[in-house]
């Protein structure tokens, strides 16, 4: 009954959000004032898109939205924005539309929302729909003063699972909290997906059977590949409610990202530093840190140079090896105590060293592991936590206009299934 009530509530929210959007008139892109004010509050060139939003000019991004069955969100959102009359109304609207988009993407990934011909587990429609909606938010010119940055943050958080996504109270059911990531590396291949995002969308809200026969509920979020959002504390906003005690607290956490070809790795160590330049984030921003000169991320709380995983790596690697092998990665890069040059070590850090890179490098995949587990150590030190790297998702068709293909879909399905298997074994081990 609980699942039926929750499904009905979700359906009602989606219907409410889409029905409250005022239908845009045929001449909505003119400058003529209309009865709903949509033309007046949406001038054609009100804002310059950021580098991430600018990729929407590629028609394949629109195809990913439409073929994912999420096009109505983009079409109806502008008029809904223009219906807001106060800052408080606008804030509530961004919360509700963001939550509805998140729930629609989860339902789609789990085969409970029809529409579009892309495979259900494809994470790309959510990414490009969200981005198109933030572009509309940037264009919006209301008659009252708004904090546009704060409104975008509200929408981003809601559409990524940070709001209205708590565990359901259930005695005896373990709680697993997992983060994934948006697609990245889009300048070289705009069709890219991220298997970590696909995996967590498929898992959010599910009750799964663990390897010991017990039950666990999974809650998830999808994080941006943007340094600025990490600087602004999105990782801490996502994980703090799951580490603060009480019925909302997880029993185990892990961050997930795309890693190495053909292999899963449990990262033994997360490093405190950024050192991935010149590789940019999704807005083409750099961190300012290199292998020779690592930097500490802004806003990062106190903590050690390296944080070790507390996930049951031995149990996972002993039980899960197909279709991809799972390995514990103990490598790090450090500047030894008293030294000035980076040194690669296969067996973890040495005492007093400065972190350059964890097992997952010096990019945001390493940083999400460090930030979440630094917070875990502060708020819930006995709770297991760590980071899982998936294999690189391959198999896109050679034809650049083909958005999907059998090999791509099979690989994404296989990776997502093995992420679930890793969680089923990791969460079965009690601290």
């Amino acid at each position: 009954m609980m699942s039926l009530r929750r499904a009905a509530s979700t359906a009602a929210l989606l219907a409410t959000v889409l029905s409250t959007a005022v239908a845009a008139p045929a001449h909505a892109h003119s400058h003529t004032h209309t009865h709903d004010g949509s033309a007046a509050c949406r001038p054609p060139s009100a804002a310059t898109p950021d580098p991430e939003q600018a990729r929407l000019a590629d028609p394949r991004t629109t195809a990913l939205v439409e073929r994912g069955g999420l096009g109505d969100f983009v079409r109806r959102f502008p008029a809904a924005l223009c219906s807001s009359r106060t800052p408080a109304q606008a804030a509530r609207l961004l919360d509700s539309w963001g939550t509805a988009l998140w729930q629609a993407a989860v339902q789609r990934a789990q085969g409970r929302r029809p529409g579009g011909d892309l495979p259900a587990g494809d994470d790309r429609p959510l990414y490009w729909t969200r981005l198109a909606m933030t572009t509309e938010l940037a264009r919006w010119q209301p008659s009252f003063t708004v904090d546009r940055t704060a409104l975008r943050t509200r929408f981003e958080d809601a559409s990524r699972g940070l709001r209205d996504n708590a565990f359901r109270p259930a005695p005896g059911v373990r709680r697993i909290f997992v983060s994934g990531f948006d697609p990245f590396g889009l300048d070289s291949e705009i069709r890219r997906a991220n298997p970590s995002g696909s995996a967590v969308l498929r898992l959010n809200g599910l009750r799964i059977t663990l390897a010991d026969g017990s039950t666990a509920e999974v809650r998830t979020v999808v994080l941006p590949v943007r340094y600025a959002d990490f600087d602004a504390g999105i990782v801490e906003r996502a994980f703090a409610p799951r580490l603060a005690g009480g019925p909302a607290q997880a029993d185990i956490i892990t961050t997930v990202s795309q890693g190495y070809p053909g292999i899963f790795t449990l990262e033994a160590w997360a490093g405190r530093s950024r050192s991935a330049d010149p590789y940019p984030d999704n807005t083409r921003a750099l961190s300012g840190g290199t292998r020779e000169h690592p930097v500490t991320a802004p806003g990062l709380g106190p903590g050690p140079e390296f944080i070790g995983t507390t996930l049951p790596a031995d149990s996972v690697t002993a039980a899960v090896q197909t279709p991809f092998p799972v390995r514990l990665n103990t490598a790090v890069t450090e500047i030894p105590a008293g030294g000035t040059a980076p040194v690669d070590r296969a067996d973890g850090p040495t005492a007093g060293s400065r972190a350059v890179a964890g097992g997952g490098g010096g990019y945001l995949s390493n940083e999400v592991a460090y930030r979440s587990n630094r917070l875990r150590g502060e708020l819930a030190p006995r709770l297991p936590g760590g980071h899982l790297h998936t294999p690189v998702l391959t198999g896109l068709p050679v034809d650049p206009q083909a958005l999907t293909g059998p090999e791509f879909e099979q690989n994404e399905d296989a990776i997502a299934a093995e992420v679930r298997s890793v969680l089923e074994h990791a969460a079965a081990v009690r601290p």
Side-chain angles (χ1 to χ4, degrees):
M1 290 299 295
M2 179 67 73
S3 62
L4 290 176
R5 286 197 297 270
R6 188 169 187 86
S9 175
T10 298
L13 176 60
L14 291 170
T16 299
V17 167
L18 293 180
S19 65
T20 55
V22 181
H27 54 291
H29 290 289
S30 73
H31 289 286
T32 305
H33 183 77
T34 65
H35 71 281
D36 67 359
S38 61
C41 78
R42 292 181 66 242
S45 301
T48 301
D50 65 32
E52 192 172 26
Q53 294 167 335
R55 296 189 187 98
L56 291 163
D58 190 313
R60 290 174 293 180
T61 66
T62 301
L64 286 165
V65 172
E66 294 296 336
R67 292 178 60 185
L70 300 180
D72 276 350
F73 280 90
V74 180
R75 281 186 288 275
R76 300 184 182 186
F77 185 54
L81 280 174
C82 291
S83 72
S84 296
R85 296 292 177 259
T86 68
Q89 282 185 2
R92 290 193 296 270
L93 184 141
L94 270 296
D95 285 345
S96 62
W97 276 77
T99 299
L101 176 60
W102 169 254
Q103 292 179 346
V106 168
Q107 290 176 352
R108 184 183 178 282
Q110 296 173 10
R112 295 183 286 114
R113 178 185 171 87
D117 65 346
L118 289 178
D122 198 322
D123 65 306
R124 298 172 295 176
L126 171 61
Y127 173 74
W128 292 110
T129 302
R130 183 195 301 114
L131 207 54
M133 293 171 75
T134 65
T135 302
E136 292 295 344
L137 177 60
R139 292 181 60 197
W140 177 47
Q141 296 296 318
S143 59
F144 49 90
T145 302
V146 295
D147 183 338
R148 203 176 299 274
T149 300
L151 287 177
R152 177 165 178 177
T153 297
R154 294 182 78 104
F155 176 74
E156 290 268 356
D157 282 5
S159 66
R160 294 179 176 281
L162 274 70
R163 292 176 179 266
D164 194 28
N165 193 25
F167 293 106
R168 292 165 285 175
V173 176
R174 288 177 64 74
R175 299 178 294 272
I176 306 171
F177 188 65
V178 190
S179 70
F181 271 112
D182 284 345
F184 65 101
L186 300 168
D187 283 333
S188 58
E189 174 53 86
I190 204 164
R191 299 176 296 165
R192 280 202 175 110
N194 193 320
S196 70
S198 174
V200 302
L201 285 171
R202 299 176 198 225
L203 286 166
N204 187 64
L206 292 189
R207 295 273 175 86
I208 63 174
T209 301
L210 303 182
D212 64 354
S214 63
T215 301
E217 181 177 334
V218 186
R219 289 287 163 176
T220 69
V221 293
V222 175
L223 298 173
V225 184
R226 297 189 297 244
Y227 286 115
D229 293 74
F230 274 53
D231 296 347
I234 192 170
V235 176
E236 288 78 4
R237 292 199 306 277
F239 280 86
R242 314 305 184 201
L243 297 169
Q249 179 173 297
D251 295 302
I252 182 172
I253 65 167
T254 189
T255 52
V256 185
S257 64
Q258 182 175 235
Y260 308 98
I263 189 172
F264 275 87
T265 54
L266 285 166
E267 303 302 338
W269 299 97
R272 187 172 174 81
S273 298
R274 292 175 175 173
S275 58
D277 293 357
Y279 191 82
D281 71 4
N282 272 352
T283 65
R284 303 193 186 105
L286 298 176
S287 71
T290 66
R291 178 180 166 88
E292 289 71 27
H293 300 286
V295 299
T296 300
L300 194 58
E305 288 295 305
F306 290 96
I307 296 176
T309 186
T310 54
L311 294 176
D314 289 346
S315 296
V316 171
T317 55
V320 185
Q321 290 294 325
T322 57
F324 302 97
V326 182
R327 301 283 185 264
L328 178 65
N329 180 22
T330 59
V332 300
T333 303
E334 65 176 17
I335 297 176
T340 58
V343 176
D344 296 325
R345 297 196 181 277
D347 55 354
T350 57
S353 65
R354 168 78 191 276
V356 175
Y363 193 48
L364 290 170
S365 57
N366 168 78
E367 189 170 324
V368 72
Y370 186 91
R371 283 182 179 269
S372 59
N373 284 283
R374 188 207 68 80
L375 193 65
R376 177 186 58 77
E378 182 180 291
L379 299 178
R382 298 182 65 182
L383 188 151
H387 186 79
L388 175 69
H389 264 120
T390 75
V392 173
L393 176 57
T394 59
L396 280 169
V398 173
D399 177 1
Q401 299 305 313
L403 301 181
T404 189
E407 182 183 355
F408 174 79
E409 295 172 16
Q410 290 164 10
N411 289 343
E412 190 165 50
D413 288 348
I415 292 171
E418 195 161 341
V419 169
R420 176 170 175 161
S421 182
V422 167
L423 296 178
E424 289 169 350
H425 285 83
V429 179
R430 313 295 165 122

